[in-house]
């Protein structure tokens, strides 16, 4: 695909851009991204998700828009909207594949070019927050994302997602080092899969270890945003493309995600008050 020139920049009407990072795969980063987007939408914000996890684009399915088509307008690609009010927009490589089971087998330069187009050629319009769901780890894709965002002077910080176990927090610690080396502000750390919520009595049991994310936040001098448990209701909602926050407003998981979202919003609006500088 040829790159087009966008004079105003596709992010010119986007107030905040937040990266969602993880040191390894399988920690639920895309699920967290989708739930943060839904929580922000319920808070009255206009939200976008840029899904640049090129080899594992799962968010279209989570938002029940996997069969949608991307169209073009004069200013670039028009994102897919997940709601009738057009308050939740999504752009993903998943929309550009002929077959959802097709593997993305691309060398680095082609991935870098596609990321450049995703950042510069999507007509987001007015957004309060754009969440960027990144691939796991630290790679050429991450550098390409940062370079293209910085060209438009648009990156407010990053949220790091981990699970409680030491093997995950160790990888996320390296992700934190990556952020510091590249000058990205760490907004905070989310500990996902922190305990298991019983589907019968709603009691939360620590089937894995607990507190690894909070300890890591203390270690690197960052904010601990909160914990999200393994919740069968959340898992089912994600699989079926349903809005968990709308369906289960009385659950402890709802409270956790809502609290995390409020803290992130406060941090974006008052960056100088962060624990992480």
């Amino acid at each position: 695909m040829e790159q087009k020139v966008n004079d105003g920049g596709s992010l010119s009407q986007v107030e905040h851009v937040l990266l969602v990072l993880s040191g390894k795969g399988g920690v639920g980063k895309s699920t967290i991204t989708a739930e943060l987007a839904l929580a922000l939408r319920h808070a009255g914000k206009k939200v976008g998700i840029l899904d640049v996890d090129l080899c594992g684009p799962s968010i279209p399915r989570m938002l029940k828009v996997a069969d949608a088509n991307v169209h073009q307008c004069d200013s670039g690609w028009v994102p897919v909207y997940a709601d009738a009010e057009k308050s939740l927009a999504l752009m993903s490589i998943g929309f550009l594949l002929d077959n959802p089971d097709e593997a993305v087998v691309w060398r680095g330069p082609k991935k870098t070019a596609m990321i450049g187009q995703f950042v510069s050629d999507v007509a987001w319009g007015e957004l309060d927050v754009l969440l960027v769901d990144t691939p796991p780890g630290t790679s050429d894709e991450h550098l390409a994302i940062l370079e293209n965002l910085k060209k438009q002077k648009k990156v407010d910080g990053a949220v790091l997602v981990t699970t409680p176990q030491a093997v995950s927090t160790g990888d996320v610690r390296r992700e934190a080092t990556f952020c510091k080396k590249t000058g990205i502000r760490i907004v905070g750390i989310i500990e996902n899969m922190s305990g298991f919520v019983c589907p019968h009595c709603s009691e939360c049991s620590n089937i894995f270890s607990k507190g690894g994310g909070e300890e890591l936040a203390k270690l690197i001098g960052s904010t601990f945003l909160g914990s999200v448990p393994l919740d069968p209701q959340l898992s089912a909602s994600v699989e079926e493309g349903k809005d968990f926050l709308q369906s289960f407003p009385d659950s402890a998981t709802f409270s956790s995600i809502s609290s995390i979202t409020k803290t992130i919003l406060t941090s974006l609006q008052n960056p100088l008050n962060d624990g992480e500088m």
Side-chain angles (χ1 to χ4, degrees), residues 183-256:
I184 302 301
R185 180 171 69 98
I186 301 173
V187 172
I189 293 175
I190 297 172
E191 183 177 292
N192 195 26
M193 306 182 192
S194 182
F196 172 75
V197 177
C198 175
H200 304 293
C201 67
S202 298
E203 182 179 344
C204 188
S205 305
N206 295 320
I207 56 174
F208 300 132
S209 57
K210 183 177 173 61
E214 189 168 7
E215 285 300 314
L216 177 61
K218 290 177 183 176
L219 186 65
I220 66 173
S222 186
T223 300
F224 180 63
L225 296 170
S227 302
V228 178
L230 276 168
D231 188 330
Q233 293 173 329
L234 174 58
S235 300
S237 297
V238 167
E239 287 291 324
E240 296 166 14
K242 294 181 179 178
D243 185 342
F244 167 82
L245 298 174
Q246 188 175 53
S247 302
F248 301 99
D250 297 324
S251 67
T253 306
F254 171 94
S255 299
S256 296

Side-chain angles (χ1 to χ4, degrees), residues 15-244:
E15 189 171 356
H16 299 292
V17 176
L18 185 67
L19 304 176
V20 184
L21 305 172
S22 67
K24 64 188 284 106
V27 301
K29 171 184 52 61
S30 294
T31 298
I32 291 294
T33 302
E35 295 307 315
L36 288 177
L38 289 167
L40 287 165
R41 175 178 170 266
H42 287 307
K45 303 299 181 183
K46 293 192 75 173
V47 192
I49 301 176
L50 179 56
D51 180 8
V52 288
D53 192 348
L54 300 182
C55 296
S58 54
I59 291 184
R61 178 179 174 178
M62 293 179 181
L63 297 181
K64 212 170 186 177
V65 290
D67 296 328
N69 294 313
V70 171
H71 303 285
Q72 286 194 315
C73 64
D74 290 341
S75 54
W77 284 322
V78 179
V80 170
Y81 291 95
D83 61 336
E85 298 79 17
K86 294 188 174 182
S87 58
L88 177 50
L90 170 63
M91 185 63 196
S92 170
I93 187 68
F95 298 135
L96 306 179
L97 301 177
D98 294 330
N99 183 341
D101 296 325
E102 183 181 342
V104 178
V105 186
W106 292 351
R107 293 188 184 276
K110 191 169 183 179
K111 288 183 179 181
T112 300
M114 177 56 72
I115 289 169
Q117 285 194 281
F118 271 2
V119 173
S120 64
D121 291 349
V122 179
W124 294 107
E126 293 185 9
L127 291 181
D128 295 301
V129 182
L130 176 65
L131 299 172
V132 183
D133 185 34
T134 65
T138 55
S139 62
D140 286 351
E141 288 102 306
H142 295 80
L143 293 174
I145 293 163
L146 290 177
E147 286 171 2
N148 283 280
L149 286 173
K150 286 180 176 181
K151 284 178 187 176
Q152 299 195 44
K153 299 180 180 178
K154 284 286 183 180
V155 56
D156 291 78
V159 168
L160 309 185
V161 181
T162 186
T163 54
Q165 302 98 316
V167 66
S168 177
T169 57
D171 288 334
V172 174
R173 186 175 178 181
R174 286 186 282 276
E175 195 84 35
T177 303
F178 170 82
C179 288
K180 291 182 179 180
K181 283 185 176 180
T182 53
I184 302 301
R185 180 171 69 98
I186 301 173
V187 172
I189 293 175
I190 297 172
E191 183 177 292
N192 195 26
M193 306 182 192
S194 182
F196 172 75
V197 177
C198 175
H200 304 293
C201 67
S202 298
E203 182 179 344
C204 188
S205 305
N206 295 320
I207 56 174
F208 300 132
S209 57
K210 183 177 173 61
E214 189 168 7
E215 285 300 314
L216 177 61
K218 290 177 183 176
L219 186 65
I220 66 173
S222 186
T223 300
F224 180 63
L225 296 170
S227 302
V228 178
L230 276 168
D231 188 330
Q233 293 173 329
L234 174 58
S235 300
S237 297
V238 167
E239 287 291 324
E240 296 166 14
K242 294 181 179 178
D243 185 342
F244 167 82

